[in-house]
């Protein structure tokens, strides 16, 4: 495996290309080299992919389009608007270390905490705002400090001519997991010694071997207890008037949406009276920058990260104490914005505010607050699809999926645009016109509406829903037919299926989308036919049993592995797969911690100027790995006393398994008409 | 979508009729709750707003020989969906316009809907007015439901009744929560529907639209094809 090296070639330069657009190259080339220090891109002798025939795919693989077809789906129009530039921060300010996570908690000094280490296997290449680049090697064990709590917004806005901003921002967000960060420098020593010394030779190793039997992320340290109780309370409604304000302030996460004129539109926590003062302050701050032709992107204050997104005529603000990066919070704000567009469409939104800047949008959004809150809570709980901007499919055999696809195709109604079968928040099958792809952000809105909010599911009937899918076209409405099947199935015949309560996990829905608002009966007819056929050809049983079985367990796919969980994203397919959270991550808190770890790994490999392709992270109660190639992103987590080799082996196994099961875990070349 | 006489005679003299019913009214007055009570005999204290419109069916027997199937459109009351309403009431045989007896403004809204129906919908449409949330104003002695408070009432029965009579509407005060008058409401509508006019025509299932012959305009969004 190590023999596939091809010399000095940076993946991010697009220097490595695939033979075929949407399929992976031969299996062996996907294994991470062992030891992983050799896998870092941008370092001589470290490239791990054998080049293909050289057809350029480097642009395509970044496309956010779900390609259910054979590589024809990377529509130009599908590309999202470029994200705003990342915030800048001056390195001079990075001297204090207050925890974002536990403001005010006194932590041991960074270096003394040998239990946590984060190693970067890449030379840190900095892109400076003036376009120049510089490479420097920091001394190992260079402390990466957090932002000082009193950092003023001015220091953290875009356009500040300070250098190397964003990766600090991202790194700082992982501080509570990785107080010691070794940046760049001698790769060999980083990967070979630094990690080993932390991993194998420290007292921590002894300690961790004693606790290995426990779940990796479930051990509670004193300083985490506060977080845990906060997290548990996070989703409660704020009711107690006496403690109202304190309660509100102590929330780990807030989302606000306001108009640029300063009218409140949405807040996740608290009511208008409670927040109006804050809204005023926020509006003043944002407008201040706006007025001087600058835009405020974010800042850190009071141990929380503030991220601002200005999408005229709206301001969206996220405030998080959950160790998320700017980019990740921005993705979440973008989803909330998309939800608003989905209700109103862009032209309506623009028209409303251009004719009346003081428009009260709450009236027009009335009834969709639960959708916004469902999104917000999903983000607070931690959402793999949002983190990865990818969607998950129900794992079934290729031939079975084929059958379902064909059933949909055969029953296709004349005005059908997209037809989906969705089970437990996972996609089973899609049919679509050749020239239109489905966008993960659109699907996320649909999944959220169907599976996270109650408005549709709770109605107990069939639904006909006008909605705008901004990724498809933010200027107009489509009409979505939705019906949930498991409910129908349950009412028919003796129920030999176990009826799970809160059966979000096993709801099966047929979703038929059309541009014709009069076509309800047409879609209803199609649905009838589809169900009838699926029942007849046995697909229904297969779908229902697959969905009731839940996700595969990790021990199923890699027996004996020390891995506890992973996320694997296929970049070409814009889809991801993951094993069941059980048995290691059962409570919402354990899942949040796991997801925080994934967020941290994700942030560090996606920091704009770090060409980082493999990253290990050692934490008090877990060891984890991020591995990014042009074809996939893999994030995996093992228990604390797994060593790097075990982790790497596990990662290899996962990659091999996904390779083998590719057409089961992903929809590749879905049905096109 | 053509309206068809929705009656079919079955062998043995039994009659089966199918009608389209639409629910209209301000948001949060209890339209969806009334439907859920009628169709599933359930009630939900914390119900999220309807998104778009929901389609449900329920069949009731009027007597030994007569069965009526309702195809029910439960619409969302929000302003932004206003322009879609005609699509749901256009071919409706009957409508339930709902207000909340504890919210004065909701009756105004109901009156506006009645007006619109009388102007735009089927000439023969049967309209029922339902003053919902009756449980909220009933004190505990008069029912076993959780105690309500008569002071909460914003619209008197007499006032609403007078309006209903004047406008030619069926009228009920209902509670989706306690089920009071819910079945009665739908049964009264069924009885008022023109069961006897139609001859014994065997009809296929449900009023389906004919095949839509309009060209499939690529990329049409927001319809525009139909301006009713
Ligand atoms: N007390 C009481 N509450 C009701 C009744 N009907 C509906 N509600 C409540 O009123 C709210 C709005 O009901 P919903 O059916 O969604 O109204 P819709 O928007 O008109 O469909 C929900 O919280 C219901 O629980 C009723 O008869 N009595
Ligand atoms: Mg409703």
């Amino acid at each position: 495996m190590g023999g596939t090296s091809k010399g000095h070639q940076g993946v991010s330069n697009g220097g490595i290309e695939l033979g075929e657009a949407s399929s992976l190259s031969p299996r062996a080339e996907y294994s991470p080299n062992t030891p992983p220090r050799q896998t870092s891109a941008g370092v001589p002798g470290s490239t791990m992919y054998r080049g293909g025939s050289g057809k350029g795919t480097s642009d395509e693989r970044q496309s956010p389009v779900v390609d259910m077809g054979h590589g024809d789906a990377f529509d130009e129009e599908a590309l999202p608007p470029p994200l705003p530039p990342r915030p800048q921060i001056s390195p001079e300010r990075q001297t204090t270390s207050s925890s974002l996570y536990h403001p005010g908690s006194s932590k041991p000094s960074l270096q003394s905490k040998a239990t946590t280490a984060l190693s970067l296997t890449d030379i840190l290449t900095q892109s400076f705002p003036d376009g120049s680049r510089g490479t420097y090697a920091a001394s190992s064990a260079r402390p990466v400090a957090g932002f000082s709590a009193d950092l003023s917004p001015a220091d953290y806005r875009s356009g500040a001519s300070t250098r190397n901003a964003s990766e600090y921002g991202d790194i700082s967000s992982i501080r509570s997991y990785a107080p010691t960060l070794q940046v760049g420098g001698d790769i060999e020593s980083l990967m070979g010694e630094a990690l080993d010394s932390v991993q194998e030779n420290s007292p921590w190793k002894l300690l961790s071997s004693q606790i290995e039997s426990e779940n990796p992320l479930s051990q509670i340290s004193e300083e985490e207890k506060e977080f845990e109780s906060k997290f548990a309370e996070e989703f409660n409604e704020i009711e107690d008037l006496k403690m109202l304000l304190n309660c509100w302030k102590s929330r780990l996460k807030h989302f606000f949406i306001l108009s640029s004129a300063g009218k409140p539109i949405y807040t996740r926590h608290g009511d208008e009276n409670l927040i109006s003062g804050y809204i005023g302050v926020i509006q003043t701050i944002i407008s201040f920058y706006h007025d001087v032709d600058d835009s405020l992107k974010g800042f850190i204050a009071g141990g929380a990260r503030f991220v601002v997104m200005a999408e005229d005529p709206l301001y969206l603000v996220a405030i998080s104490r959950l160790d998320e990066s700017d980019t990740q919070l921005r993705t979440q704000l973008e989803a909330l914005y998309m939800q608003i567009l989905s209700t109103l469409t862009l032209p309506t939104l623009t028209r409303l505010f251009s004719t009346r800047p003081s428009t009260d949008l709450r009236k027009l959004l009335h009834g969709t607050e639960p959708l916004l809150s469902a999104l917000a809570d999903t983000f607070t709980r931690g959402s793999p699809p949002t983190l990865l901007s990818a969607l998950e499919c129900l794992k079934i055999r290729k031939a079975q999926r084929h059958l379902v696809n064909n059933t949909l195709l055969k029953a296709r109604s004349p005005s059908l645009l997209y037809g989906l079968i969705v089970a437990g928040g996972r996609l089973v099958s899609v049919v679509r016109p050749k020239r239109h792809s489905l966008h993960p952000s659109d699907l996320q809105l649909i999944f959220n509406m169907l599976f996270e909010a109650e408005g549709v599911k709770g109605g107990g009937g069939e639904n006909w829903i006008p909605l705008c899918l901004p990724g498809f076209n933010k200027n107009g409405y489509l009409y979505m037919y939705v019906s949930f099947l498991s409910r129908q199935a349950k009412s028919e015949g003796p129920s030999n299926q176990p009826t799970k309560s809160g059966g979000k996990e096993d709801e099966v829905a047929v979703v038929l989308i059309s541009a014709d608002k009069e076509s309800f009966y047409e879609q209803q007819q199609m649905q009838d036919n589809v169900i009838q056929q699926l029942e007849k050809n046995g697909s229904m049983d297969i779908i229902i049993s697959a969905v009731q079985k839940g996700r595969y367990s990790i021990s199923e796919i890699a027996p004996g592995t020390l891995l506890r969980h992973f996320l694997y994203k296929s970049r070409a397919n814009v889809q991801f797969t993951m094993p069941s959270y059980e048995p290691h991550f059962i409570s919402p808190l354990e899942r949040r911690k796991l997801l925080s770890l994934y967020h941290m790994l994700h942030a560090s490999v996606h920091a704009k100027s770090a060409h980082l392709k493999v990253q290990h992270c050692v934490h008090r109660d877990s060891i984890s790995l991020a591995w990014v190639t042009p074809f996939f992103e893999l994030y995996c987590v093992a228990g604390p006393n797994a060593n790097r080799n075990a982790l790497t082996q596990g990662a290899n196994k996962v990659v091999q398994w996904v390779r083998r099961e590719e057409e089961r875990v992903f929809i590749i070349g879905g049905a096109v008409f | 979508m053509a309206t068809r006489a929705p009656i079919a005679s079955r062998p043995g003299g039994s009659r089966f009729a199918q009608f389209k019913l639409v629910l209209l009214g301000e948001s949060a007055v209890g339209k969806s709750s009334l439907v859920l009570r009628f169709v599933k005999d359930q009630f939900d204290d914390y119900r999220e707003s309807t998104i778009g419109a929901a389609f449900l069916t329920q069949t009731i027997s009027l007597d030994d020989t007569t069965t009526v199937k309702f195809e029910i459109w439960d619409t969302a009351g929000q302003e932004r969906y206003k322009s879609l309403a005609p699509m749901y009431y256009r071919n409706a045989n009957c409508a339930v316009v709902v207000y909340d007896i504890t919210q004065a403004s909701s009756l105004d809204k109901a009156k506006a809907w009645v007006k619109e129906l009388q102007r735009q919908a089927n000439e023969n449409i049967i309209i029922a007015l339902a003053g919902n949330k009756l449980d909220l104003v009933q004190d505990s002695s008069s029912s076993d439901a959780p105690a309500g408070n008569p002071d909460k009432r914003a619209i008197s029965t007499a006032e609403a009744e007078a309006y209903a009579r004047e406008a030619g509407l069926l009228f009920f005060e209902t509670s989706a929560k306690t089920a009071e008058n819910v079945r009665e409401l739908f049964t009264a509508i069924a009885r008022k529907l023109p069961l006897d006019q139609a001859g014994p025509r065997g009809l296929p299932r449900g009023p389906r639209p004919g095949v839509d012959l309009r060209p499939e305009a690529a990329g049409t969004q927001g319809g525009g094809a139909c301006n009713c």
Side-chain angles (χ1 to χ4, degrees), chain B residues 80-207:
Chain B
R80 64 175 177 277
Y81 296 127
K82 185 90 175 58
S83 64
L84 291 175
M87 194 163 87
Y88 303 112
Y89 65 64
R90 196 185 312 134
N91 302 305
N93 307 95
C94 44
V96 177
V97 179
V98 187
Y99 68 95
D100 174 348
I101 59 173
T102 68
Q103 298 292 331
S105 65
S106 68
L107 182 61
D108 297 335
K109 194 74 211 253
K111 288 177 180 174
W113 278 118
V114 170
K115 231 179 188 170
E116 179 166 342
L117 286 172
Q118 289 176 334
R119 211 175 292 157
Q120 320 263 9
N122 265 345
E123 220 179 313
N124 303 322
I125 191 168
I126 309 284
I127 304 174
L129 181 69
N132 190 40
K133 307 199 185 179
L134 185 57
D135 59 286
L136 290 180
V137 303
Q138 289 169 327
D139 54 35
S140 44
S141 56
S142 67
S143 101
D144 13 299
N149 178 357
D151 296 344
K152 278 195 183 162
R153 184 185 274 276
I155 293 156
S156 73
T157 311
E159 180 195 344
E161 205 162 22
Y163 161 70
R165 200 176 314 117
E166 185 189 313
L169 319 173
L170 290 166
F171 173 69
F172 287 90
E173 287 191 333
T174 59
S175 167
K177 186 165 181 164
T178 64
E180 186 167 354
N181 275 342
V182 175
R183 228 186 151 72
E184 289 78 353
L185 166 74
F186 288 93
T187 309
I189 294 169
R191 291 197 185 287
K192 227 184 154 192
L193 283 162
L195 277 176
D196 301 318
Q197 294 172 8
R201 271 185 273 167
L203 282 177
R205 137 179 202 217

Side-chain angles (χ1 to χ4, degrees), chain A residues 36 117-119 191 195 614-618 624-625 644 647-648:
Chain A
L118 188 85
S119 60
M191 294 306 295
L195 246 178
V614 174
Q615 165 141 351
H616 278 88
C617 171
V618 182
S624 53
L625 169 83
R644 265 184 316 117
L647 191 61
T648 308

Side-chain angles (χ1 to χ4, degrees), chain A residues 66-88:
Chain A
V66 182
D67 179 18
M68 303 299 177
H70 295 280
D72 62 334
F74 293 109
D75 299 353
E76 288 278 76
E77 49 168 353
L79 292 169
L83 286 173
R86 297 167 63 84
Q88 307 280 313

Side-chain angles (χ1 to χ4, degrees), chain A residues 470-540:
Chain A
F472 174 76
N473 176 359
K474 50 168 88 85
N475 297 318
Y477 284 108
L478 295 170
Y479 299 86
M480 179 165 80
Y481 171 94
V482 181
S483 97
F484 282 91
L485 305 182
S486 46
R487 304 199 165 216
Q488 292 181 355
K490 269 170 209 157
S491 62
E492 284 164 19
S495 62
N496 35 12
Q497 305 155 9
T499 312
K500 286 182 205 159
S501 57
K504 169 173 134 189
E505 290 287 311
D506 62 356
E507 299 276 1
V508 180
V510 176
V511 178
L512 306 173
I513 300 172
S514 166
D516 179 0
K517 71 171 170 180
E518 303 274 342
S519 68
F520 172 83
Y521 292 106
E522 198 185 282
Q523 312 311 336
Q524 187 187 44
Q525 182 67 60
M526 169 171 173
Q527 192 259 187
D528 285 354
N529 295 343
V530 166
I531 297 309
Q532 207 178 17
Q533 284 308 309
L534 291 179
E535 297 278 7
K536 212 164 111 187
N537 65 29
S539 299
M540 191 56 83

Side-chain angles (χ1 to χ4, degrees), chain A residues 589-606:
Chain A
L589 180 66
E590 286 162 342
R591 287 186 195 179
R592 175 65 235 183
K593 288 183 176 179
L594 176 68
L595 263 297
S596 288
L597 191 53
Y598 285 142
H599 275 78
M600 180 268 285
L601 290 167
H602 180 272
S604 53
V605 290
H606 284 82

